[in-house]
Amino acid sequence: MAIIYNEDKKVFNIKSKNTSYALMVADTGHLIHLYWGRKLESNKLDYIFKKYGKGSFLADTDNIDNFSIELNTVEYPTYGHTDLRSPAIEIKLANGTTLTDFRYENHSIFRGKKELRGLPATYMENDIDGETLEITLVDKLAELRIVLSYTVFEEYDAITRSCRVINNSNNNVEILRVLSANVDFNSNEFDLIQLSGAWARERHMVRTPLRSGNQLIESRRGASSHDQNPFIALASHDANEEYGDVYGLNLIYSGNFLANVEVDMYNNSRAQIGINPFDFSWLLEPNEEFEAPEAVLVYSSNGLTGMSHIFHDLYRKRLCRGVYRDKERPILINNWEATYFNFNGEKIKSIAKDAADLGIELFVLDDGWFGHRNDDTQGLGDWFVNIDKLPHGISGLSKKIHDLGLKFGLWIEPEMVNKDSLFYQEHPHWTLETPQRKSCHGRNQYILDFSNPEVVEEIAEALCKIIDDSYISYIKWDMNRCMSEVYSSIHDHQSQGKVMHKYILGVYRLYTILTEKYPDILFESCASGGARFDPGMLYYAPQCWTSDDTDAIERLKIQYGTSLVYPLSSMGSHVSAIPNHQTFRNTPLETRANVAYFGTFGYELDVNQLTFEEKEIIKKQISFMKQYRSLFQFGTFYRLKSPFTSNETAWMVVSYDKTQAIVGYYRPLQEVNVGYRRLPLLGLDEDKMYHVNGLDLYGDELMNVGLIISDSSCGENKDGCGDYYSKLYILKEAE
Ligand code: DGJ
């Protein structure tokens, strides 16, 4: 049994392989958080909770002397009663008050996990994966209920949480805030880790000690965003990659989110994650329910690597779905940086022909194939082929590409429209626009109102037509602007606070239509690069274009940061041309591939322009990737040296049976007169002998003495000299 309930003590102990998460029902009916950390066998943890108060400014809860709930760790706090810290939920009642008071009503424990309606979520393949606890809290006066769900994935060592609000009253109420998870810690001895950045430099790791007050990250952009990822971790100050306590919270959601840690006056920390309450409100009518997205909670006592491994395994196996979940990903060529909008059928075929000769498996036709799109001012919304560019249509072109031995993939941006399009002429009021205000475009495009099911259905129909007529094995779904002037004409003025969330539900709806109708198509999500690299997207699309920045050196930070939560099999990574189109940097072809191997791998350059020598190198790269891609994409990933703290980056993947490993070592800038280096490895079998660098060394030597990186500074021969140096080390169990 993974979830133990002690009836006598009213204590729940939710246990996974190595973790316990415990809570209890106080005699006042409050749900009290007791513990989250290393596994505890005891189910008598009620002593952790003390009705405690202070002769201070605080009010006494329920007028019980010396009991102030604000001094306790509360499981799902409301605002206004006597806990005045950040609430998890706030609801405006018909009488205008915002005070709610939820107390325990009942609970149930069952094997397996329920689906979340219309929302992406982790799933179980069968009930063996774990158990679910549902606790119902009730506000008797307001006749409202909250159902808190906790699912434990025992072997994956993760807990997922969600929350449902039910209006059992006869009145409309307005949900102003409904977070998916709240965890109170009675300590502030943590660093906060977040993944922050901007377009073309997404998910850089930022680590800062907690300070007093609220420290929050959020998105208000309509997408989970480039600037912040819906992830935070609290790590003990001494936690590093291998050691120390780390508590990770990640939201399975692709829209506006909030992740907050409040350190209160008693140095307790309250960590929260959920839909951003900013500009959100949800009118809930009698008998209606609202379901909040799922949050994933991961604790590791084995540092950041331990946390990452739990996220990687859970997401690879119990969030991603479809035939590609466990399949090696095709090596693709994408024509975007090769041609931008400037192509025709002949050019595409010529790229595909050379790509096929190199051993590439999938051709992806990016933006510019539809409507009369010759630049970014036109065509979005017109999901039919541009006959001037591609006279044989997508069906003819995809057939031709298939005949060359390649699969064919197509770029779409279904949520957007250009005013210069037939679609806009037909549906000028299907965009999000605030009455009497100017609507601002982003990249000349406007946002279709995906909160309107009719819009979603119409776009689905147009896309299905194209897909049905052609040989399409892959779709790249892009989204290239943040949301402004948000207002939907199909909702009345009281329901405008729903629009941002309903929009994302519309996106999920279209993904559901397409993934159910075309189960064999591989979807890759994208939003101006990585503005929606979140677990919500991974449920539909098992890979995501990590960043528009294809520069290998910039990618070190981006891929390193992304790997904190997301597995390599989810990271779109391409070798592109030099000078790089974002940084104008010239990195060696070898380094570009050595970075891109640690992802889904592909090329994004004009192969027609390559020299004979470059083509020969690329052929070798492709056959190398084919040989090792299952190790790269499904092995266990370790970070060895951080690009955020030094001029060196190193990481490695190890096969599950620990018989093979590949180490990637990168040194962006040449240094002068530096010492001789060793790089201690991780994750090997200490008793196995590995062949590497011409030597046979035991795992314990490689992990303690380290791999000799002697060629990382200029020696007598000039091997390994120069900027942007990189090298892969292949380890194989010795015979
Ligand atoms: C942004 C994407 O991130 C790029 O890869 C490319 O698809 C362009 N959009 C096309 O407009």
Side-chain angles (χ1 to χ4, degrees):
M1 289 265 284
I3 302 178
I4 309 291
Y5 178 56
N6 180 335
E7 176 86 54
D8 188 31
K9 307 279 184 193
K10 305 238 175 315
V11 167
F12 300 92
N13 187 350
I14 304 171
K15 295 193 268 190
S16 63
K17 196 165 55 177
N18 299 303
T19 303
S20 278
Y21 184 102
L23 51 150
M24 73 172 281
V25 183
D27 56 6
T28 53
H30 289 104
L31 204 56
I32 302 293
H33 177 75
L34 295 176
Y35 174 84
W36 183 23
R38 270 180 209 239
K39 189 168 179 167
L40 303 175
E41 289 307 334
S42 170
N43 57 4
K44 295 184 191 145
L45 300 166
D46 55 311
Y47 66 90
I48 299 174
F49 167 60
K50 276 214 177 335
K51 273 198 196 139
Y52 179 59
K54 267 201 181 292
S56 72
F57 202 55
L58 302 185
D60 287 337
T61 303
D62 290 356
N63 286 332
I64 300 170
D65 285 346
N66 293 325
F67 173 38
S68 182
I69 192 91
E70 184 163 338
L71 282 158
N72 280 286
T73 43
V74 180
E75 186 57 25
Y76 196 73
T78 55
Y79 176 76
H81 199 38
T82 50
D83 183 352
L84 302 178
R85 297 170 290 181
S86 305
I89 189 158
E90 190 180 12
I91 301 176
K92 190 173 197 178
L93 306 180
N95 63 5
T97 62
T98 52
L99 190 153
T100 49
D101 188 8
F102 288 97
R103 311 274 172 130
Y104 171 87
E105 184 175 49
N106 57 45
H107 75 268
S108 66
I109 297 173
F110 52 90
R111 279 214 84 78
K113 180 175 195 286
K114 292 182 186 165
E115 284 184 9
L116 271 71
R117 270 162 291 170
L119 283 164
T122 54
Y123 60 90
M124 292 192 179
E125 288 237 294
N126 45 51
D127 291 354
I128 297 167
D129 279 343
E131 289 182 345
T132 298
L133 161 67
E134 282 189 351
I135 301 178
T136 303
L137 306 177
V138 63
D139 180 328
K140 286 192 179 146
L141 184 70
E143 295 179 283
L144 297 173
R145 286 184 168 74
I146 303 174
V147 180
L148 300 178
S149 299
Y150 301 81
T151 295
V152 55
F153 286 82
E154 289 175 64
E155 282 307 305
Y156 291 90
D157 230 353
I159 294 168
T160 63
R161 283 181 65 170
S162 60
C163 158
R164 199 152 37 93
V165 184
I166 306 164
N167 184 0
N168 297 124
S169 77
N170 294 321
N171 302 310
N172 288 351
V173 298
E174 203 180 343
I175 304 173
L176 301 174
R177 178 182 179 102
V178 53
L179 301 183
S180 301
N182 179 95
V183 187
D184 282 2
F185 297 82
N186 70 349
S187 160
N188 67 343
E189 295 286 308
F190 296 112
D191 290 341
L192 172 64
I193 299 178
Q194 63 195 70
L195 296 174
S196 304
W199 173 80
R201 54 178 166 79
E202 297 91 336
R203 290 170 302 286
H204 284 202
M205 260 174 81
V206 179
R207 181 170 179 162
T208 41
L210 287 183
R211 56 173 171 74
S212 179
N214 281 302
Q215 34 244 284
L216 65 84
I217 58 161
E218 63 180 330
S219 168
R220 293 186 222 139
R221 298 179 184 279
S224 48
S225 88
H226 298 102
D227 14 343
Q228 307 292 353
N229 197 259
F231 161 81
I232 48 171
L234 292 183
S236 53
H237 294 310
D238 60 352
N240 60 18
E241 283 293 342
E242 289 172 81
Y243 309 105
D245 291 325
V246 185
Y247 302 82
L249 279 75
N250 195 201
L251 190 67
I252 305 183
Y253 191 56
S254 312
N256 290 349
F257 76 92
L258 166 105
N260 182 37
V261 183
E262 180 178 1
V263 176
D264 69 17
M265 54 187 153
Y266 301 104
N267 289 335
N268 298 310
S269 308
R270 172 167 284 179
Q272 308 183 311
I273 198 160
I275 292 181
N276 198 342
F278 182 87
D279 222 11
F280 166 88
S281 67
W282 196 274
L283 191 81
L284 201 64
E285 294 184 17
N287 297 318
E288 280 189 345
E289 299 188 2
F290 178 83
E291 188 137 39
E294 185 170 47
V296 181
L297 273 61
V298 169
Y299 162 76
S300 163
S301 57
N302 298 320
L304 298 174
T305 302
M307 177 195 70
S308 300
H309 287 173
I310 296 171
F311 276 122
H312 291 184
D313 283 353
L314 183 75
Y315 287 177
R316 256 189 332 219
K317 297 279 189 194
R318 294 295 179 263
L319 178 66
C320 293
R321 302 170 304 155
V323 291
Y324 277 97
R325 187 188 80 174
D326 303 322
K327 242 190 182 170
E328 294 178 10
R329 305 299 161 72
I331 297 175
L332 65 80
I333 181 137
N334 177 305
N335 73 308
W336 178 242
E337 288 198 7
T339 64
Y340 294 102
F341 294 105
N342 186 16
F343 62 81
N344 57 26
E346 290 314 307
K347 178 66 187 169
I348 294 303
K349 280 185 268 176
S350 144
I351 293 179
K353 161 97 191 45
D354 278 358
D357 292 344
L358 295 171
I360 288 172
E361 298 160 318
L362 164 70
F363 180 91
V364 178
L365 182 60
D366 211 281
D367 195 354
W369 58 267
F370 50 89
H372 54 288
R373 188 150 169 101
N374 293 312
D375 57 41
D376 64 17
T377 62
Q378 340 155 294
L380 282 174
D382 292 341
W383 299 112
F384 48 83
V385 74
N386 181 332
I387 287 290
D388 293 339
K389 279 184 179 173
L390 305 171
H392 302 291
I394 292 298
S395 55
L397 180 68
S398 59
K399 162 97 179 53
K400 185 79 202 161
I401 291 197
H402 259 244
D403 293 346
L404 289 169
L406 291 169
K407 291 188 165 166
F408 181 78
L410 204 58
W411 176 97
I412 56 172
E413 191 173 3
E415 300 154 67
M416 300 290 156
V417 69
N418 289 120
K419 284 201 173 166
D420 186 356
S421 69
L422 293 175
F423 190 89
Y424 186 79
Q425 280 171 27
E426 279 168 30
H427 306 288
H429 301 300
W430 273 10
T431 55
L432 293 172
E433 50 187 5
T434 303
Q436 296 161 31
R437 303 275 177 195
K438 183 175 250 148
S439 280
C440 296
H441 61 80
R443 204 195 187 203
N444 302 300
Q445 61 198 47
Y446 296 83
I447 304 161
L448 287 174
D449 181 3
F450 263 45
S451 76
N452 179 353
E454 208 186 333
V455 176
V456 173
E457 292 301 323
E458 176 113 354
I459 294 291
E461 204 180 300
L463 293 174
C464 291
K465 199 160 178 298
I466 282 278
I467 298 170
D468 289 340
D469 282 355
S470 318
Y471 296 81
I472 292 179
S473 309
Y474 162 106
I475 285 181
K476 175 178 174 188
W477 175 327
D478 203 350
M479 196 287 265
N480 280 299
R481 62 160 295 184
C482 55
M483 287 160 78
S484 62
E485 297 88 30
V486 175
Y487 183 97
S488 166
S489 53
I490 68 149
H491 301 292
D492 61 28
H493 73 278
Q494 283 179 304
S495 297
Q496 292 304 316
K498 292 183 173 181
V499 175
M500 291 280 221
H501 180 56
K502 281 207 169 227
Y503 176 95
I504 289 295
L505 295 180
V507 171
Y508 293 151
R509 172 78 196 124
L510 183 56
Y511 258 117
T512 303
I513 295 172
L514 296 180
T515 50
E516 282 180 359
K517 185 154 188 223
Y518 307 105
D520 293 334
I521 290 184
L522 169 62
F523 282 80
E524 177 155 345
S525 71
C526 172
S528 279
R532 276 202 311 215
F533 203 124
D534 59 61
M537 285 288 123
L538 289 184
Y539 180 74
Y540 304 99
Q543 58 192 62
C544 176
W545 183 224
T546 314
S547 176
D548 272 348
D549 195 336
T550 57
D551 176 80
I553 301 304
E554 291 297 304
R555 276 296 186 116
L556 292 174
K557 286 185 176 154
I558 296 168
Q559 293 179 203
Y560 189 98
T562 304
S563 80
L564 203 59
V565 185
Y566 307 102
L568 295 198
S569 58
S570 67
M571 285 188 224
S573 51
H574 300 169
V575 173
S576 62
I578 51 165
N580 178 267
H581 292 197
Q582 293 77 40
T583 60
F584 310 105
R585 194 177 268 142
N586 289 302
T587 46
L589 187 49
E590 190 184 1
T591 292
R592 282 176 270 157
N594 285 349
V595 176
Y597 291 135
F598 288 83
T600 59
F601 198 68
Y603 290 81
E604 184 151 346
L605 42 72
D606 186 351
V607 279
N608 299 152
Q609 312 274 332
L610 296 171
T611 63
F612 175 78
E613 289 74 24
E614 285 170 327
K615 282 188 173 160
E616 291 305 300
I617 295 172
I618 287 180
K619 276 186 193 160
K620 286 195 187 124
Q621 292 177 343
I622 290 168
S623 72
F624 172 80
M625 186 59 181
K626 285 180 181 166
Q627 186 181 351
Y628 290 108
R629 79 178 129 184
S630 113
L631 173 54
F632 282 117
Q633 293 170 359
F634 304 113
T636 311
F637 182 70
Y638 292 86
R639 292 173 294 268
L640 303 174
K641 265 183 173 289
S642 166
F644 299 105
T645 51
S646 83
N647 181 34
E648 292 170 302
T649 300
W651 50 41
M652 67 187 285
V653 279
V654 183
S655 64
Y656 270 125
D657 61 5
K658 302 193 178 198
T659 57
Q660 288 189 64
I662 298 181
V663 178
Y665 172 81
Y666 313 87
R667 195 226 37 230
L669 292 180
Q670 176 65 56
E671 291 169 294
V672 179
N673 197 18
V674 286
Y676 147 97
R677 300 255 208 278
R678 289 182 317 204
L679 176 69
L681 305 185
L682 291 171
L684 301 174
D685 181 336
E686 52 190 27
D687 297 323
K688 276 194 172 41
M689 170 99 82
Y690 294 91
H691 189 73
V692 59
N693 269 351
L695 296 171
D696 285 341
L697 300 170
Y698 278 106
D700 63 351
E701 295 169 76
L702 287 161
M703 293 192 290
N704 293 301
V705 179
L707 188 69
I708 311 291
I709 313 279
S710 55
D711 49 6
S712 68
S713 71
C714 279
E716 274 172 19
N717 67 33
K718 294 282 182 280
D719 256 11
C721 286
D723 292 342
Y724 318 131
Y725 168 77
S726 72
K727 182 164 173 162
L728 295 189
Y729 297 86
I730 319 280
L731 282 75
K732 285 196 174 153
E733 186 178 6
E735 299 284 293

